Amino acid sequence: MTEILTAAQMRSIEQAAIESGEVTGLELMERAGRGVVEAVFEEWPSYRLSPRRAIVLCGPGNNGGDGYVVARLLRDLHWDVTVFSLGDPEKLPPDAKTNYRRWLALGDVQPLSERAFRAAGAGYADLYVDALFGTGMSRPVSGEAWSVLTHLAGRNGDDYAPYIVAIDAPSGLCLDSGRLLGTANGSYAHGHNRFAALTVTFDSPKQGQFLADGPGLCGKLAVKDIGLRKWRETGAGRAMRLPQTVLVTDRSVVPDRRHALSPLRVPVKSERNIHAGHTHKFSFGHGVIVSGGAGRTGAARLAARSALRVGAGLVSLAVPPDAAAEVAAQITAPMMRAVPDAGAMAEMLTDARLNAICIGPGLGLGPNHAALVETVLKTGRPTVLDADALSLVARDDQLRNLLHQNCVLTPHNGEFKRLFPEIEARLSTPSAQSFSKVDAVRAAAAEAGCTVLLKGRDTVIATPQGQCAIHAAVYERAAPWLATAGSGDVLAGLIAGLLAQGYAAFEAAATGAWLHVECARQFGPGLIAEDLPEQLPGVLRRVISGEAGRV
Ligand SMILES: NC(=O)C1=CN([C@@H]2O[C@H](COP(=O)(O)OP(=O)(O)OC[C@H]3O[C@@H](n4cnc5c(N)ncnc54)[C@H](OP(=O)(O)O)[C@@H]3O)[C@@H](O)[C@H]2O)[C@@H](O)CC1
Ligand SMILES: [K+]
């Protein structure tokens, strides 16, 4: 598992390391600068071969300090380096000032302004280093810094993005929320959601690099080790006591030993199980997918196929009688049971082997559908509530009060707004830009008393206890073609199939989100929702053999 840190957590880990006396801030800064140069050569291998020209923009804090280190290291490699500073460098914090002085022995520093930047023949550099603000950014960027940033972002028609490396963050990006502070549309200029080619961060990724505008503006992300692992893993100096937010991946970039959580290591229907003798279909659970009426059954059929493919031993569709012929004509492996009303549903669920339920896709919004949701919730069984079930819960407090620990809610943004209007309002208030999707989903899970998965390119999953994971289909894991009709029904089915196999709600949601994107990536462009479950055998084979998709 890769831990994701907030800016405050990163600062407190650094502080704990420095206070321990085992490492100095100056050493950490040197490692950070080296990490940036290393990442630059990894990203642009040809730059290693001959010295180039760089422009380094240094801010008034330690992010600027890293910039002075980078300037010096490049100069040591005979690069032509121009340095601009924001604010009076004599007022820099001590370590940054030391590096400023070291740089002064090699070259000069000009005050940062757009005019000076452009006069320096700014268009001819091979590398632009954004070291203005990092984890200490506390308010929207303005003045000359903003002018230069928006110029770099293409305000005047120049395209610098392919040559920009940002240290910790494109300056102005909130590393907690992933929003560009002070902007309505998350863009420096022209509404383009791009800025840097590469962002280099230290020790662990930061929340804002995965949420909202972050991934687009960061370009690519390189995480460099600066020797803080010991303080991170012991939780020393941690700014918050919440369980740590993790990134859902198939491997650990920065392993975290404190948490046993490792969704993809929870055995799916693997050989290990089979050898252990768990070969009967009931060993892998029996999922129930509740279907809508005639003409609306596609969503439930997709969910059922996904639940089966992900490994549920049995899947039954609970179908209103008017839709029975339609469903029967189009399914093979899932079973079907006619369920005319809530009473019949309750009777069906007296069978304790039916151990996971999915309700909502294509369901409908009538009182009879609300009664079905009520019946399902009253069983207390692991249940995925999606689509119409979420809308029904949003408008009926009685249903909402029936939500329980074993539920997983899988809203998209619109459903989230209906379910949690106050939380959503905070999330979309420009003045609350450090309030992140992580904060929002944690608050929603606490309010609902169950696991909430808020869908998006930056899917966030949280439990009422504050356990939280980000699953981001960004950077190398981007899967834009996943935005297709029925894709959400597949996700609901995957989670239900995992619940049937005994995954806890949070692990089922996190694993389902990962598999969903992995299937889309495996298929590629041209994907329609029906293709997703068909990719599962290949994806699961790779998971089980330990060579699943890289992130
Ligand atoms: N600590 C360590 O050991 C290590 C840290 N490392 C590096 O340090 C970075 C964090 O450094 P940092 O904490 O000094 O914060 P940083 O991002 O430079 O900004 C703070 C300065 O900016 C100012 N400021 C803020 N917002 C502003 C705005 N909108 N407009 C104008 N000014 C604004 C703020 O002013 P103030 O808010 O105090 O008025 C303050 O002067 C981190 O990202 C990493 O790169 C690495 O070297 C590893 C070791
Ligand atoms: K920066």
Side-chain angles (χ1 to χ4, degrees), residues 14 18 29 60-63 66 133-140 168:
E14 283 167 343
I18 293 166
M29 196 170 273
N62 289 325
N63 197 248
D66 293 353
F133 308 110
T135 51
M137 205 214 36
S138 53
R139 54 192 180 277
D168 248 353

Side-chain angles (χ1 to χ4, degrees), residues 10-11 14-15 18 24-33 59-67 86 91 93 95-96 131-142 145 167-169 172 175 181 200 202 226 228:
M10 184 64 191
R11 280 198 300 273
E14 283 167 343
Q15 208 173 339
I18 293 166
T24 64
L26 205 56
E27 283 164 340
L28 290 176
M29 196 170 273
E30 190 70 19
R31 291 176 198 168
N62 289 325
N63 197 248
D66 293 353
L86 180 69
K91 294 189 180 148
D95 298 332
L132 290 175
F133 308 110
T135 51
M137 205 214 36
S138 53
R139 54 192 180 277
V141 180
S142 58
I167 303 185
D168 248 353
L175 281 171
L181 291 193
V200 186
F202 310 113
I226 56 169
L228 292 174

Side-chain angles (χ1 to χ4, degrees), residues 50 134 172 181 234 290 367 400 411 429 448 470 492:
S50 58
L181 291 193
T234 54
V290 182
R400 183 186 284 257
T429 304
I470 297 176

Side-chain angles (χ1 to χ4, degrees), residues 55-140:
I55 292 183
V56 185
L57 312 178
C58 295
N62 289 325
N63 197 248
D66 293 353
Y68 290 110
V69 175
V70 171
R72 168 165 47 80
L73 294 175
L74 291 177
R75 175 57 63 86
D76 287 348
L77 294 169
H78 310 294
W79 281 49
D80 173 1
V81 184
T82 303
V83 177
F84 288 97
S85 99
L86 180 69
D88 180 359
E90 290 302 328
K91 294 189 180 148
L92 284 165
D95 298 332
K97 202 195 298 186
T98 300
N99 280 306
Y100 159 67
R101 297 225 162 114
R102 287 178 180 170
W103 164 253
L104 280 188
L106 302 172
D108 62 1
V109 171
Q110 304 179 45
L112 181 69
S113 71
E114 186 183 339
R115 178 192 281 254
F117 179 80
R118 294 172 80 167
Y124 300 102
D126 304 285
L127 184 71
Y128 298 84
V129 183
D130 169 7
L132 290 175
F133 308 110
T135 51
M137 205 214 36
S138 53
R139 54 192 180 277

Side-chain angles (χ1 to χ4, degrees), residues 203-216:
D203 184 74
S204 299
K206 313 299 174 303
Q207 263 180 212
Q209 292 154 350
F210 289 95
L211 300 175
D213 313 316

Side-chain angles (χ1 to χ4, degrees), residues 505-525:
F506 180 75
E507 284 77 4
T511 306
W514 188 89
L515 289 169
H516 191 230
V517 167
E518 206 54 29
C519 289
R521 276 165 38 83
Q522 174 145 316
F523 189 91

